[in-house]
Amino acid sequence: LLKPSLLTIGIPTYNRAYSLKNTLPRLSEDLVGLESKIQILIVDNASSDNTEQVVKNWIDSVKSRLKVRYVRNNENIGMSKNIVSCFYMSD
């Protein structure tokens, strides 16, 4: 059984590929030394841009040192429900 993370950073998102492309690398730099204590959870609310590809490319670059979980909703469930889903999915 895996030990839960001390902190989950939840990132609810929708059509934010450009923002994520800039923000995620900075986030991973800021977490150096804390990798074993933190999970990053990205919940994509069925984006129609290339958010999924941006996130997957970033995950490929950090998966050896960061615990990252990416969830893509099948349909847009609205902003509030997407935010709440981050709480329910965090460990």
Side-chain angles (χ1 to χ4, degrees), residues 11 21 39 70 81 83:
I11 304 173
K21 191 172 190 174
Q39 172 193 29
Y70 173 70
K81 287 183 180 179
I83 292 169

Side-chain angles (χ1 to χ4, degrees), residues 18-84:
Y18 178 78
S19 252
L20 291 170
K21 191 172 190 174
N22 295 313
T23 303
L24 292 174
R26 289 184 187 143
L27 178 61
S28 59
E29 290 171 9
D30 290 342
L31 297 177
V32 170
L34 301 171
E35 295 89 349
S36 65
K37 298 175 183 174
I38 294 176
Q39 172 193 29
I40 299 169
L41 170 64
I42 303 167
V43 183
D44 182 353
N45 203 9
S47 294
S48 58
D49 67 357
N50 66 330
T51 294
E52 181 174 19
Q53 192 58 50
V54 166
V55 171
K56 286 183 176 184
N57 287 345
W58 176 75
I59 289 171
D60 284 345
S61 72
V62 299
K63 66 183 171 189
S64 66
R65 64 181 190 85
L66 281 175
K67 182 178 173 187
V68 182
R69 183 173 170 209
Y70 173 70
V71 178
R72 179 177 165 80
N73 297 331
N74 292 328
E75 60 184 23
N76 188 311
I77 60 174
M79 180 176 64
S80 296
K81 287 183 180 179
N82 198 46
I83 292 169
V84 169

Side-chain angles (χ1 to χ4, degrees), residues 1-7 36-37 67 91:
L1 193 56
L2 291 176
K3 182 178 171 185
S5 302
L6 178 64
L7 173 69
S36 65
K37 298 175 183 174
K67 182 178 173 187
D91 69 359

